[in-house]
Amino acid sequence: INTWLHADHATESQNCSCPLPTFVNRAGWNCPQTSWNPSATTVTHLIVHHSAGSNTSTNWPAVVLSIWNFHTGTNGYSDMGYNWLIAPDGTLFEGRFKSSTDDVAGAHFCGFNAGTMGVCMLGTFTDQTITEAAKNTLTRLLAWKSCQRNIDPITSTLHSSSNLQLNVISGHRQGCATECPGTTFFNTLPAIRTSVKQFNENGCTLTALPNLVATTGFSLLPNPVDDIA
């Protein structure tokens, strides 16, 4: 295993048996930013995005770096907007600084980022489905955080920053006018919520969801999010 792959369990609740999945840290995708003091938050809602980029790549770390460059250079954010990113091959990437050890507010949810953890699925899922590998990593990640923060993944609660009643696991479009995270993927979120719940209840064992078969060849410009860093 490469040295930039990490399994970080420092923030788990003692009642949570399901760990944070192994991930590629910021050094692993060559992030040039090594220090920063982001705003702390307490996660109550888990927000899922798609990057609206290509569904195929031979170098996913470079894709993650390109998103960091876009967010910091073009959007003017202080750091990567997302807390985590997941490639179609299932690789999990650490996003905004200290996401693996602290709850930090990102820049991804319609200007109402407090209380959220933002997860970006790399690719475009307007009419394509995520891979089984990516879906499984997403399930494990959301199960870890929902258990750690003692939030029920199949319920809806008030998101105090936006003053909206939101699913604990929501798509970006539930906060503002955007197509993100893609209609095909958005329509699978009810099944993913159930899978996250069952994963934590079944001793960290994945249960079957409808088969999600990835297709290739669709490309779009980077997700046009407009948030406050």
Side-chain angles (χ1 to χ4, degrees):
I1 299 176
N2 292 316
T3 56
W4 41 262
L5 290 173
H6 287 261
D8 189 335
H9 313 319
T11 56
E12 291 170 32
S13 164
Q14 292 184 355
N15 294 324
C16 295
S17 60
C18 302
L20 169 62
T22 298
F23 62 91
V24 178
N25 66 12
R26 289 162 64 90
W29 50 267
N30 296 316
C31 181
Q33 181 179 22
T34 58
S35 64
W36 180 53
N37 292 316
S39 299
T41 193
T42 299
V43 169
T44 58
H45 290 78
L46 312 173
I47 311 300
V48 185
H49 304 257
H50 71 173
S51 66
S54 177
N55 290 56
T56 60
S57 175
T58 59
N59 190 344
W60 289 114
V63 172
V64 174
L65 178 59
S66 73
I67 294 173
W68 182 89
N69 285 328
F70 178 73
H71 283 184
T72 59
T74 301
N75 287 358
Y77 300 170
S78 300
D79 191 7
M80 168 77 75
Y82 307 115
N83 299 102
W84 299 97
L85 306 94
I86 299 174
D89 64 5
T91 302
L92 176 65
F93 294 91
E94 180 182 29
R96 179 158 286 216
F97 191 69
K98 294 185 178 179
S99 290
S100 63
T101 54
D102 297 287
D103 285 348
V104 300
H108 61 91
F109 193 52
C110 315
F112 301 105
N113 299 294
T116 68
M117 181 180 84
V119 184
C120 180
M121 311 304 291
L122 299 177
T124 299
F125 304 105
T126 301
D127 56 9
Q128 299 186 48
T129 53
I130 66 169
T131 63
E132 281 293 309
K135 182 262 294 180
N136 290 344
T137 298
L138 177 64
T139 297
R140 293 175 184 274
L141 178 68
L142 299 183
W144 162 73
K145 181 55 69 173
S146 62
C147 185
Q148 183 198 78
R149 292 296 171 236
N150 194 29
I151 49 180
D152 188 343
I154 64 172
T155 63
S156 62
T157 62
L158 180 68
H159 177 233
S160 58
S161 179
S162 65
N163 201 35
L164 294 173
Q165 187 76 13
L166 296 174
N167 296 104
V168 165
I169 298 174
S170 284
H172 183 190
R173 64 170 64 182
Q174 291 175 257
C176 56
T178 176
E179 192 275 339
C180 182
T183 297
T184 299
F185 180 42
F186 181 76
N187 289 341
T188 69
L189 286 183
I192 288 173
R193 293 179 191 116
T194 298
S195 181
V196 170
K197 178 87 167 179
Q198 292 175 341
F199 184 77
N200 266 332
E201 291 180 344
N202 296 341
C204 311
T205 300
L206 289 167
T207 55
L209 285 179
N211 190 35
L212 303 176
V213 180
T215 56
T216 60
F218 190 88
S219 179
L220 198 66
L221 291 173
N223 185 14
V225 294
D226 184 13
D227 283 304
I228 299 172

